[in-house]
């Protein structure tokens, strides 16, 4: 019995005095493990990395809530050397709408300048955003949301199937609701 008690005490002391393999020595910089996922694409610019990937970070439940079919997902990345846009495209179940969700590292200021002739400032869940409607681009509407790394663009097209454009009142109908759903998944700054 004394032998069992001594073994138990030895194991207890050994367990308390050794570091678990999950713990890190604060002075050992090589032991620091990053929990941040490496982006699918990193451009050659000095712009921030795109840390929110709509293809990976917008769950199917959010797509369904917004009325889109997760199984219709297609890659929509645009990755030149100067900047990055990671994105996916989706359709509604009966293909009334097509949606591109693009996460890019161009600045919100650049997006404002590029679209100043046709954008209106709005708010999406407390973030600065732009509602973008171009009269010469029928059946299309987009919202650009400011992020810590750049912008998230929710860009939708209307498919009427008649060959004639949809009424202008339908171009953006419900898109702000969709943007509010997706914004919930963008990491908050600070």
């Amino acid at each position: 019995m004394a032998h069992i008690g001594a073994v138990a005490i030895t194991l207890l002391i050994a367990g308390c005095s050794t570091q678990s393999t999950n713990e890190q020595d604060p002075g050992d910089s090589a032991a620091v493990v990053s929990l941040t996922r490496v982006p699918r694409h990193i451009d050659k610019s000095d712009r921030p990395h795109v840390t929110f990937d709509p293809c990976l970070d917008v769950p199917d439940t959010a797509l369904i809530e917004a009325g889109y079919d997760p199984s219709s997902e297609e890659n929509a990345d645009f990755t030149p050397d100067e900047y990055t846009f990671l994105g996916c495209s989706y359709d509604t179940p009966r293909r009334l709408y097509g949606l591109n969700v693009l996460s890019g590292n161009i600045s919100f200021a650049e997006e404002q300048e590029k679209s100043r002739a046709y954008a209106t400032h709005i708010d999406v869940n407390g973030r600065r955003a732009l509602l973008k409607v171009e009269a010469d681009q029928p059946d299309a509407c987009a919202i650009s949301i400011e992020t810590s790394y750049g912008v998230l663009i929710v860009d939708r097209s209307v498919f009427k199937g008649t060959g004639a454009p949809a009424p202008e009142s339908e171009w953006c109908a419900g898109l702000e609701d969709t943007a509010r759903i997706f914004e919930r998944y963008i990491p908050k700054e600070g």
Side-chain angles (χ1 to χ4, degrees):
M1 175 103 163
H3 178 66
I4 294 173
V7 171
I9 291 173
T10 303
L11 289 174
L12 181 63
I13 292 170
C16 291
S17 65
T18 60
Q19 255 183 338
S20 103
T21 56
N22 293 333
E23 293 176 353
Q24 301 166 5
D25 178 0
D28 183 7
S29 62
V32 175
V33 177
S34 173
L35 299 178
T36 305
R37 175 183 61 233
V38 174
R40 287 187 293 124
H41 179 77
I42 298 173
D43 57 53
K44 295 179 181 177
S45 75
D46 60 353
R47 295 174 183 271
H49 293 270
V50 178
T51 56
F52 178 76
D53 187 335
C55 304
L56 302 174
D57 298 327
V58 174
D60 288 354
T61 55
L63 291 164
I64 292 166
E65 180 183 355
Y68 292 88
D69 178 5
S71 70
S72 69
E73 181 178 282
E74 290 185 23
N75 186 283
D77 291 351
F78 184 67
T79 56
D81 290 342
E82 302 81 27
Y83 53 87
T84 296
F85 273 97
L86 301 178
C88 279
S89 296
Y90 305 93
D91 293 326
T92 53
R94 293 185 298 140
R95 203 169 188 304
L96 301 174
Y97 297 108
L99 185 76
N100 290 319
V101 184
L102 305 164
S103 188
N105 60 357
I106 64 168
S107 71
F108 190 72
E110 288 173 293
E111 186 71 357
Q112 285 177 302
E113 180 59 31
K114 181 183 81 168
S115 61
R116 67 185 157 116
Y118 53 87
T120 303
H121 289 266
I122 62 171
D123 177 275
V124 174
N125 297 348
R127 291 182 191 259
R128 294 191 312 163
L130 301 168
L131 176 65
K132 303 181 305 186
V133 183
E134 295 181 72
D136 63 344
Q137 299 290 321
D139 297 337
C141 184
I143 295 176
S144 296
I145 304 168
E146 185 176 33
T147 68
S148 61
Y149 57 84
V151 294
L152 179 74
I153 300 173
V154 181
D155 183 5
R156 187 183 73 193
S157 298
V158 180
F159 300 111
K160 292 297 281 183
T162 63
E168 192 170 338
S169 62
E170 289 183 28
W171 298 359
C172 296
L175 190 59
E176 287 185 52
D177 294 331
T178 299
R180 281 191 278 280
I181 292 167
F182 296 161
E183 186 282 333
R184 294 184 295 208
Y185 299 95
I186 302 170
K188 305 297 185 229
E189 293 87 45

